[in-house]
Amino acid sequence: MNEGGSATLVFYSVKDWWREPALNVIAAAVQMSKFTHVEIAIGEEPGDRGQMTNVCRIFNDAAGVELVQRTGRNPSYTYLQLGCTKQAETAMLIYAKSCVGRPFSNIGMARSVIFPRTTTGNSFFCAGVILDRVLNPRLAWR
């Protein structure tokens, strides 16, 4: 029997626009969206205290792309769980691990407001690291 896998998209919605970085606010406004950030939790393995594990995220900070745990309790986040094959889940996790430490790209994020970005994989912004592999049909997981 073939076991299924999953990935959960984690969207951050803005509550206080004036506290957000300007580029986030501009990106959300251009897209007519209340969301300014996205992460992905890969798989369903529970963390130390039941948290979501393997949450791939990137912020404009020194850490760059990282894999962390998240409680899933913050009311500013919306969660969308997607089913996939176990093979796809494994491939996403391998890719996410290969991206850990890569830097945030302000230029890539700014350009994405105007036209889609094709990444080199050397740097990312939040939607870029997620959309590059998860939702890009050219790189669809099998």
Side-chain angles (χ1 to χ4, degrees), residues 23-142:
L23 191 52
N24 286 5
V25 174
I26 292 167
V30 167
Q31 298 172 65
M32 293 182 281
S33 173
K34 66 178 182 177
F35 300 119
T36 64
H37 178 71
V38 65
E39 303 172 355
I40 186 168
I42 303 166
E44 295 181 359
E45 291 294 319
D48 302 335
R49 296 187 176 127
Q51 306 98 321
M52 297 168 19
T53 57
N54 297 318
V55 178
C56 182
R57 69 180 188 185
I58 185 169
F59 293 114
N60 190 1
D61 61 17
V65 176
E66 56 187 345
L67 284 172
V68 299
Q69 295 185 14
R70 174 174 291 294
T71 65
R73 295 186 184 132
N74 186 330
S76 295
Y77 287 86
T78 300
Y79 303 87
L80 175 62
Q81 187 174 31
L82 307 169
C84 62
T85 66
K86 195 65 171 175
Q87 180 183 1
E89 179 185 297
T90 300
M92 283 186 270
L93 187 55
I94 289 169
Y95 180 72
K97 287 179 179 180
S98 76
C99 292
V100 169
R102 293 187 192 170
F104 185 88
S105 175
N106 281 308
I107 293 171
M109 185 173 172
R111 287 182 54 204
S112 73
V113 171
I114 300 166
F115 58 89
R117 174 181 187 229
T118 302
T119 184
T120 63
N122 294 325
S123 64
F124 296 99
F125 58 99
C126 65
V129 72
I130 306 306
L131 297 175
D132 180 46
R133 293 292 176 153
V134 177
L135 301 177
N136 186 334
R138 288 184 302 112
L139 304 170
W141 305 105
R142 293 176 178 42

